[in-house]
């Protein structure tokens, strides 16, 4: 692969959910650059918006969720060529802004350019179709797309309801060809499933979780995608199986040089797999950089807290250092105009009452943090007093939040 | 319920343990409806817990670790008599809890409590937090309504929630806060012993740390004894004094946490530890020995040592001269056959040979697929012969051929835990006399059968525990 | 477990239910006031004559003997003699089965053909006019008593517009087809169709409406499942996602519900027959109840019960075929 | 313990679902209308619904003029005369063949439908829920036996079983004095309400199985919930657990089903009345049966009561949908926040 800039450049991505309770800012202002052939990790706790980010990249958001802002620049000369006429505004050299493309075109990118591995293999396979059939479908979809790359809509046009109904009558009208089925078996073998011929004919419930996750990897590889997005790929698996699946991803990455985006809450998985990492909190990437920089010299107090919360396998080290309080509300009207972490932050300063921009961290290229501590050391004199955020007017509105504040207080007491 | 030759009969610890589990068994029955009975179809047992024994000492935290489906939660529930055991006994302060009834049982219920995994389903959504926390007091008729409420306020304080939240409903709380409510409920009757069933696995790491710290504080404050059930080794390592490792309904290793984590004896424990990804920057380059394969179904557990199907250091038959990695491939091939996972029919169909004359191609295809290298001598002959049997569609014959030559002592003899501070259920480790006798008997028998083909002799592996050396799997 | 074993097992289970049905039906006579003799004997019958009649009907025996006799007769296909018509009840009942069966099948076919596409469209075009039309139709459909619908149809279509016949069944399907094949005469089949339309629509409407509702909510549920998202993520055309993936899984639970709801279809058939003077089991049973013709009542109830059990076994087998997760129990 | 059947959250959700759903509003309106009609029928009815008047027979609804040819005996000879009848507000929905006021009959018919619907459902809920919860909670052989019995009950289509039972048991009724008439608040109205007791019990009997099934399912799943395990580990008795945890938490689907069953039972009642098995003549189904003979001449006699049934059942079904959507968001509704 040629090295001419990142394969994926996300700028100011904003995704919102318009729910009964109000507008939820699941993702706001996410910036990241992912290099060709690297493994990038997005790590965060539940509700940090990491999975929504992944879905936004693929354009798979369901109502009431919607991408409301930002740009996703994807480098593909071939794609840029084919869409230049239709949507010139979405093309910039070799880069295409995915958000500027019509849905019809974006759909065709799935599987061929981008693939996704989901968290729960059991619910991500259709329970009433054989695994082989489902992988063959993916193969077929990609072949149809590739056989006619110019016409981005060819795939959907080639297969409508009438063809579907005909497929019951005539086997030549079936969506999935024999070649695709054979390819599915090959893919299953490639991901280390023993006796793939027999297993291709089995249903998802006849697979173990680990085997099914391998099958999902096979399905994701069907279209030889450039970018693989793995959303919590091992969370549903036992630890010995998790190790196997991670090994598999590692091998595949080494063989194909594919770019992988791993979304996880597990810092161990990030450390095991990733070249670079972004830490998400409340819909923002609060710190990003090379793995060693972020893990060994974290700047943002949230990153520090996260790392301090993980019990270590190598000898117990006394008390854990948890982050006080709870994951914050993402409801638009409850989000304060300050650093979102300030209310849980042990080093909150007066400056933190203004939203910090993304600041470069000294001494490491590409290491940035959305925290003033990236630029200046912690200053005791401007530190906000304990309990500053308690009983604040913004928090009192919702009883759950008020109780959260109470918990912050009690935890603060404990950890002293 | 016989103690028989059980080795853990006399406790070697100075003090009487608080809880003593002996040969605890819990089977679930399948095909057991009225109709199955009418039609006389045999019910089958799923041995969720298959004869385990351990002690929990006063004031300690015992960790019970294992992967999903190993029976650790069933153990916890059976120990609290939330489920009736199939066999065995659990002594709490010297009394078998399965013999208790009436007031004695109620007394036990006061002393032993449980905290569950799921912060959503462990609290009744229709009860207020106050109702939930006072429920145990009400059941046991403790105090007046006012006193109970006062006690609930106090308990909320203990678990780090504010006392004015008594009237709230569980859904108004976050996961971590609900788990605190669950802990407060467990504390209400001032128990001696609490079973913590995955108390943090539904929580985010930062909240998990809060809850773990809280549990730690409470243990100190109230002199509690914990049984911590978890799949998360780092949590176990952080919290526990002693650890018991469970696999397919059996304990494979028990020992002090420090020893067990530093020097695991059982290959399964070792594999577990190896598999956990560490949150440190050198993780990528760490040498890992992970294990292959899946946990076998508890409906049809392997004979002998239940871990042998995945074990990287499974004991080879005496006198067999194949490298360990090749031996593993043979074992895997046999497992495929035995589980019906290798179907000669579909193989033939793939070969595009309607008359099925080209046995050679059939054999070569399988040979290449299943083995990295060809064997020589007798091994090559046996393996090829088994493929040929398969080509004829005779799976049984193929299995028998392989079994007669490659059967491991691990398939025949089920290892047990000896009575010492850090035992492991592995034939490569110290074993009770009865197990050793069984091993000797098997070896005698197998050398007799094998005498024609091989040189015979003792298994070399027992003396050389080389789990970490080059010929481990991969 | 093989398909074969499954059917045997399910059949035995069904047999047990049928036995329960028979017993219950048998006991029904003893739970109801009045003796069958009251209906059979002339009003001025002497006690001797009444006793004679009771003896003839076997009513002088103890219950368990009557029960054993009844069971024994049933096994040989003997349901006793109709009190009123003096002919074997089994013959009368069997002669009525085709009419009911044709009506029920016609209604089911109409219902399934109309409802599933409507339900799918309603779900995939949520909050669009199609959806509103479909949901309104299904709501009114399940809320309309079918006897009233039948009467309204007769009033508007037959009486008002005079296009379709009001009632009766001049010819059965099989004779009509025979006529068509052997004599190239279409009059039979045309008459059959003309007479079938209104009853089938009447009976089918409720069923259609119900399946539309089930399909719609089932599809909405399935379309929100992760595997649908995964299918989209691998680039499948929406047609395939909707029909091959989501609809398949929607149908699996619907089939079980349908099996249970066939009861309401049979119930509906009884009253539809009554409205259209359709000579099926329904009219037979209603007439028999009015005159306490016990052999007919019992026989017809048992036949309906058996029919329902058989339908449910078929439905179960279908369910097991469609749902790979059921290893046939 | 909290005696509240509906928690705050449920109440909020009900309100929200109500405010955004036009259908729920229509449903509530129809149901309130029906309940009002049934309760205050003696006040609202312009005529005694049973009062016959041969000179007022077959009058069309207000605003409708109906011309028909009738046979009359004139001077001992059959002749055909053309009769023109004009509807008036005196009889807003017209009259039947015996000259009874249809509007009044529709009002009083609502009483029958509603009473049978409510009490029939109560009977079914009581029986079904106790059987179902017991079967589900204890499981094992108890469960096996009870559910086999339920299977047998299910093998009879409800309507067929109901026809057989009511037809054979005979339509027993009890007379309930109308309080308004008794107190002298209105005059000229029937003094008693005829409550078809057999019919009510029968519709309950044929419907209890549905409640048993759903209650059993709920009990089976709630039994597995950790809060039930926690209660057992605390030493709570089975009775306490059933009362405190299992019953309250299984109420939601039972309430939804009960609502829908009221509608189903009203349909069942009207069918049985249509066949003449109810024992009361003040019923919508009965009136439809009467009107069936006059389809060619007096279309309104059969139509009006039928429209009343449809309106009532639509209303109750809409209410059921609303409850289901509000109480069980998993069934319909939008996906949640998605995070």
């Amino acid at each position: 692969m040629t090295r001419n800039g990142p394969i994926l450049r996300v700028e100011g991505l904003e995704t919102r959910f318009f729910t009964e309770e109000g507008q939820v800012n699941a993702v706001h202002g996410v910036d990241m650059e992912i290099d060709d052939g690297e493994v990038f990790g997005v790590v965060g706790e539940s509700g940090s918006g990491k999975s929504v980010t992944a879905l936004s990249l693929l354009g798979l958001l369901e109502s009431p969720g919607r991408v409301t802002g930002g740009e996703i620049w994807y480098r593909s000369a071939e794609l840029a060529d084919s869409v230049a006429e239709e949507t010139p505004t979405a093309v910039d050299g070799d880069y295409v802004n995915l958000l500027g493309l019509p849905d019809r075109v974006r759909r065709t990118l799935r599987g061929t350019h981008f693939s996704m591995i989901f968290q729960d293999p059991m619910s991500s396979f259709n329970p009433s179709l054989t695994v082989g059939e489902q992988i063959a479908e993916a193969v077929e979809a990609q072949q149809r797309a590739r056989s006619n790359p110019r016409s981005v809509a060819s795939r959907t046009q080639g297969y409508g309801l009438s063809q579907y109904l005909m497929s019951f009558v005539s086997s030549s009208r079936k969506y999935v060809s024999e070649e695709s089925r054979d390819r599915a078996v090959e893919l299953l073998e490639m991901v280390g499933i023993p006796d793939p011929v027999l297993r291709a004919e089995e249903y998802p419930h006849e697979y173990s979780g680990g085997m099914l996750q391998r099958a999902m990897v096979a399905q994701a590889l069907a279209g030889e995608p450039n970018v693989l997005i793995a959303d919590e790929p091992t969370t549903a698996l036992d630890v010995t199986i998790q190790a196997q699946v991670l090994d598999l991803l590692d091998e595949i990455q080494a063989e194909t040089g594919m770019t992988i985006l791993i979304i996880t809450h597990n810092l161990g998985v990030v450390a095991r797999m990733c070249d670079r990492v972004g830490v998400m909190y409340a819909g923002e990437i609060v710190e990003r950089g090379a793995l060693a920089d972020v893990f060994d010299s974290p700047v943002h107090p949230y990153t520090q807290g996260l790392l301090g919360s993980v019990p270590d396998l190598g000898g117990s080290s006394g008390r854990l250092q948890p982050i006080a309080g709870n994951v914050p509300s993402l409801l638009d009207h409850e989000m304060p105009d300050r650093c979102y972490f300030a209310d849980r932050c042990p080093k909150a300063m007066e400056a933190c009452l203004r939203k910090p921009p993304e600041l470069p961290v000294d001494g490491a290229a590409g290491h940035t943090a959305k925290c003033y501590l990236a630029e200046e050391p912690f200053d005791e004199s401007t530190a906000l007093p304990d309990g500053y955020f308690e009983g604040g007017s913004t928090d009192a509105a919702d009883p759950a939040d008020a109780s959260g504040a109470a918990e912050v207080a009690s935890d603060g007491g404990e950890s002293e | 319920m016989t103690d028989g030759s059980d080795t853990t009969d006399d406790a070697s610890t100075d003090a009487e343990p608080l809880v003593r589990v002996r040969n605890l068994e819990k089977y679930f029955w399948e095909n057991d409806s009225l109709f199955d009975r009418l039609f006389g179809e045999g019910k089958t047992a799923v041995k969720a817990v298959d004869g385990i024994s351990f002690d929990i000492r006063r004031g300690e935290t015992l960790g019970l670790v294992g992967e999903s489906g190993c029976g650790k939660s069933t153990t916890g529930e059976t120990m609290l008599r939330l489920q009736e055991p199939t066999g065995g006994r659990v002594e709490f302060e010297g009394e078998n809890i399965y013999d208790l009834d009436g007031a004695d049982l109620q007394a036990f219920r006061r002393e032993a409590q449980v905290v569950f995994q799921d912060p959503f389903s462990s609290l009744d959504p229709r009860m207020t937090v106050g109702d939930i926390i006072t429920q145990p007091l009400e059941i046991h008729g403790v105090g007046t309504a006012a006193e109970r409420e006062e006690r609930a306020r106090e308990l909320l304080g203990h678990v780090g929630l504010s006392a004015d939240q008594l009237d709230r409903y569980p859904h108004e709380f976050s996961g971590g806060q609900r788990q605190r409510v669950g802990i407060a409920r467990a504390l209400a009757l001032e128990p001696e012993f609490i079973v913590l069933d995955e108390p943090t696995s539904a929580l985010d790491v930062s909240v998990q740390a809060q809850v773990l710290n809280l549990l730690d504080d409470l243990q100190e404050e109230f002199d509690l004894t914990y049984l911590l059930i978890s799949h998360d080794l780092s949590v176990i390592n952080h919290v526990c004094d002693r650890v018991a490792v469970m696999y397919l309904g059996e304990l494979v290793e028990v020992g002090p946490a420090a020893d067990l984590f530093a020097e695991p004896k059982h290959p399964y424990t070792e594999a577990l530890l190896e598999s956990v990804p560490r949150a440190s920057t050198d993780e990528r380059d760490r040498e890992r020995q992970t294990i292959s394969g899946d946990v076998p179904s508890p409906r049809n557990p392997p004979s002998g040592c239940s871990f042998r199907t995945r074990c990287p250091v499974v004991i080879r038959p005496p006198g067999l001269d194949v490298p360990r990695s090749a031996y593993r491939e043979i074992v895997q091939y046999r497992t495929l056959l035995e589980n019906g996972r290798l179907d000669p029919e579909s193989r033939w169909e793939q070969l595009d040979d309607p008359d099925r004359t080209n046995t050679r191609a059939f054999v070569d295809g399988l040979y290449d697929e299943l083995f990295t290298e060809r064997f020589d001598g007798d091994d090559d002959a046996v393996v090829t012969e088994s493929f040929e049997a398969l080509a004829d569609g005779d799976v049984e014959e193929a299995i028998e051929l392989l079994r007669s030559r490659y059967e491991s002592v691990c398939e025949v003899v089920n290892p047990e835990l000896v009575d010492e501070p850090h035992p492991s259920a592995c034939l490569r480790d110290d074993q009770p006399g009865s197990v050793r006798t069984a091993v000797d008997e098997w070896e005698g028998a197998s050398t007799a059968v094998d005498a024609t083909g091989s040189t015979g002799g003792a298994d070399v592996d027992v003396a050389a525990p080389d789990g970490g050396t080059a010929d481990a799997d991969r | 477990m093989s398909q074969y074993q499954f059917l045997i097992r399910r059949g035995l289970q069904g047999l047990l239910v049928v036995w329960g049905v028979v017993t219950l039906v048998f006991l029904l006579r003893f739970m109801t006031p009045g003796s069958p003799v009251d209906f059979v004997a002339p009003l001025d019958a002497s006690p001797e004559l009444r006793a004679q009649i009771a003896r003839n009907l076997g009513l002088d025996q103890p219950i368990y003997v009557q029960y054993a006799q009844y069971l024994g007769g049933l096994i040989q296909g003997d349901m006793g003699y109709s009190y009123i018509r003096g002919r074997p009840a089994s013959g009368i009942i069997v002669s009525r089965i085709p009419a009911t069966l044709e009506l029920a099948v016609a209604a089911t076919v109409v219902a399934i053909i109309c409802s599933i596409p409507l339900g799918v469209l309603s779900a995939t075009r949520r909050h669009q006019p199609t959806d509103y039309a479909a949901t309104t139709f299904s709501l009114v459909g399940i809320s309309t008593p079918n006897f009233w619908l039948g009467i309204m149809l007769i009033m508007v279509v037959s009486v008002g517009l005079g296009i379709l016949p009001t009632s009766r069944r001049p010819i059965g399907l099989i004779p009509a087809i025979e006529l068509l094949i052997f004599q190239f005469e279409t009059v039979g089949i045309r008459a059959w169709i003309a007479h079938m339309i209104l009853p089938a629509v009447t009976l089918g409407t409720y069923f259609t409406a119900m399946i539309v509702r089930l399909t719609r909510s089932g599809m909405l549920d399935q379309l929100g499942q992760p595997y649908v998202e995964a299918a989209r993520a691998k680039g499948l055309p929406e047609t395939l996602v909707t029909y091959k993936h989501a609809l398949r899984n929607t149908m699996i639970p619907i089939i079980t519900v349908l099996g249970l709801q066939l009861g309401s279809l049979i119930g509906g058939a009884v009253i539809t027959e009554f409205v259209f003077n359709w000579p099926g089991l329904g009219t037979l049973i209603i007439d028999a109840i009015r005159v306490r013709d016990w052999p007919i009542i019992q026989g017809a109830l048992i036949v309906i019960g058996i029919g329902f059990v058989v339908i449910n076994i078929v439905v179960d087998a279908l369910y097991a075929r469609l749902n790979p997760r059921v290893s046939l129990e | 313990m909290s005696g509240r059947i509906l928690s705050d959250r449920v109440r909020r959700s009900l309100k929200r679902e109500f405010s955004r759903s036009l259908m729920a509003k229509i449903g509530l309106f129809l149901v309130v209308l029906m309940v009002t009609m049934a309760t205050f029928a003696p006040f609202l009815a312009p005529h005694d619904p049973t009062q016959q008047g041969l000179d007022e027979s077959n009058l069309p609804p207000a605003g409708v003029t109906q011309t028909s040819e009738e046979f009359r005996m004139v001077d001992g000879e059959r002749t055909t005369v053309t009769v023109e009848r004009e509807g008036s507000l005196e009889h807003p929905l017209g009259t039947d063949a015996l000259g009874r006021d249809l509007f009044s009959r529709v009002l009083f018919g609502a009483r029958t439908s509603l009473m049978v619907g409510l009490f029939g459902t109560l009977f079914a809920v009581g029986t079904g829920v106790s059987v179902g919860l017991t079967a589900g909670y204890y499981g094992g052989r108890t469960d096996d036996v009870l559910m086999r019995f339920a299977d047998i009950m299910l093998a009879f289509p409800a309507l067929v079983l109901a026809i057989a039972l009511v037809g054979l048991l005979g339509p027993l009724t009890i007379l309930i004095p109308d309080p308004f008439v008794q107190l002298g608040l209105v005059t000229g109205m029937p003094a008693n309400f005829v409550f078809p007791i057999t019919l009510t019990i029968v519709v309950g009997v044929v419907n209890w199985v549905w409640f048993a099934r759903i209650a059993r399912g709920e009990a089976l799943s709630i039994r597995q919930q950790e809060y039930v395990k926690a209660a057992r580990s605390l030493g709570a008795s089975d009775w306490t657990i059933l009362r405190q945890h299992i019953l309250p938490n299984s109420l939601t689907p039972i309430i939804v089903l009960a609502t829908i069953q009221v509608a189903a039972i009203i349909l069942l009642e009207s069918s049985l009345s249509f066949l003449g098995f109810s024992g009361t003549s003040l019923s919508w189904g009965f009136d439809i049966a009467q009107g069936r003979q006059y389809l060619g001449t007096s279309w309104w006699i059969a139509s009006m009561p039928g429209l009343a049934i449809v309106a009532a059942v639509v209303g109750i079904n809409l209410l059921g949908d609303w409850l289901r959507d509000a109480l069980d968001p998993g069934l319909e509704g939008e996906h949640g926040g998605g995070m």
Side-chain angles (χ1 to χ4, degrees), chain B residues 81 97 99-110 140, chain D residues 235:
Chain B
R81 208 175 162 185
I97 61 163
D99 295 339
L100 300 175
D101 53 12
D104 293 339
L105 182 60
Q106 286 303 87
F108 166 71
R109 297 270 182 232
R110 288 187 73 147
H140 290 272

Side-chain angles (χ1 to χ4, degrees), chain A residues 55 60 62 110-111 118 123-129 133-134 137-138 142 155 159-161 164 175 203 205 219, chain C residues 223 225-227 229-230 232-240 243-246 248-249 252 322-325:
Chain A
L55 294 176
L60 279 176
E62 294 274 338
R110 292 177 209 148
F118 295 89
S123 64
S124 300
F125 272 103
N126 187 332
S128 61
L129 295 174
E133 169 89 15
Q134 298 187 55
E137 278 180 347
Q142 303 328 320
R155 226 171 339 164
Y159 200 83
L161 181 55
Y164 174 72
Y175 182 76
Y203 289 93
H205 72 276
Q219 177 174 283
Chain C
L223 287 171
Q225 296 294 315
Y227 74 83
E229 191 173 55
R232 290 190 180 126
K234 68 189 184 194
L236 289 191
E238 200 59 30
T239 324
L240 217 59
Y243 288 92
K244 185 170 172 184
H245 285 260
R248 197 186 177 89
N249 289 306
I252 291 170
L322 269 181
N323 188 354
R325 274 172 295 187

Side-chain angles (χ1 to χ4, degrees), chain A residues 46 195 208 240 244 323 403, chain B residues 67 204 210 291 294 341 347:
Chain A
S46 52
D195 205 29
S208 66
T240 54
Q244 294 171 12
I323 308 169
S403 58
Chain B
E67 294 179 282
D204 278 317
Q210 294 170 6
I291 49 172
D294 274 316
R341 286 249 154 264
R347 295 279 157 174

Side-chain angles (χ1 to χ4, degrees), chain A residues 167-246:
Chain A
S167 71
F168 288 104
V169 186
S170 149
S171 60
S172 64
R173 298 296 189 87
K174 291 227 188 304
Y175 182 76
V176 177
S177 65
E178 273 313 307
E179 294 76 53
S180 300
R181 283 176 203 282
D182 294 344
R183 174 73 184 141
V185 172
E186 276 173 44
L187 284 164
L188 282 175
E189 189 168 10
M190 202 171 105
V191 296
I193 289 182
D195 205 29
V197 182
L198 209 60
R199 307 249 34 181
E201 297 302 314
E202 289 183 0
Y203 289 93
H205 72 276
E206 298 172 79
Y207 276 60
S208 66
M211 281 296 153
L212 206 54
Q213 194 59 295
R214 283 173 188 268
M216 181 129 67
V217 174
Q219 177 174 283
L221 295 177
E224 293 160 24
N226 300 337
V227 181
L228 178 67
I229 299 175
D231 185 3
E232 302 272 11
T234 59
T235 306
L237 306 177
D238 274 319
V239 59
T240 54
I241 309 295
Q242 163 173 296
Q244 294 171 12
V245 171
L246 292 179

Side-chain angles (χ1 to χ4, degrees), chain A residues 54-62 67 74 79 98-99 101-118 137-146 152 155-156 175 219-229, chain C residues 227-238 241:
Chain A
L55 294 176
S56 307
L57 291 181
L58 251 72
L60 279 176
L61 282 171
E62 294 274 338
V67 175
Y74 167 61
L79 180 66
L98 299 180
L99 294 179
L101 298 177
D103 280 351
R104 177 173 48 82
V105 181
R106 285 199 77 184
R107 199 174 307 142
T108 65
L109 301 180
R110 292 177 209 148
T112 40
H113 292 261
F114 299 91
S115 272
M116 189 151 175
I117 300 175
F118 295 89
E137 278 180 347
V139 175
E140 188 72 31
Q142 303 328 320
Q143 275 170 1
R144 285 172 191 239
R146 286 197 203 281
V152 283
R155 226 171 339 164
T156 36
Y175 182 76
Q219 177 174 283
L221 295 177
E224 293 160 24
N226 300 337
V227 181
L228 178 67
I229 299 175
Chain C
Y227 74 83
V228 166
E229 191 173 55
R232 290 190 180 126
K234 68 189 184 194
L236 289 191
E238 200 59 30
V241 175

Side-chain angles (χ1 to χ4, degrees), chain D residues 188-274:
Chain D
M189 290 291 153
N192 294 303
F193 166 67
V194 184
F195 182 61
I197 184 82
T198 324
L199 184 85
T200 307
I201 294 174
V202 164
V203 294
V205 166
V206 301
N207 275 304
W208 70 269
V209 182
W210 299 103
F211 290 96
R213 287 171 65 97
I214 202 162
R216 169 178 177 266
E218 287 297 307
L220 271 178
S221 82
I222 294 169
R223 184 175 69 161
Q224 299 299 324
Q225 296 288 311
E226 289 177 345
Y227 58 79
V228 172
K229 289 185 190 168
R232 286 176 52 211
S233 85
L234 292 167
S237 64
D238 287 343
W239 171 241
T240 309
I241 290 173
L242 273 169
R243 182 178 52 87
Q244 216 170 64
H245 297 295
I246 307 238
L247 182 64
N249 283 292
S250 55
L251 274 183
T252 305
I254 291 173
I255 290 173
V256 173
L257 179 68
T259 317
I260 296 166
Q261 281 294 316
V262 172
I265 286 180
I266 288 178
L267 286 178
L268 194 57
E269 178 272 329
S270 69
S271 300
L272 291 168
S273 301
F274 173 73

Side-chain angles (χ1 to χ4, degrees), chain C residues 27-51:
Chain C
L27 291 175
L28 201 59
R29 205 179 78 212
F30 297 91
M31 300 187 300
T32 48
S35 158
V37 177
D38 301 341
F39 287 85
V40 178
L43 281 174
D44 54 353
S46 65
E48 291 76 32
L49 180 60
R50 291 179 61 93

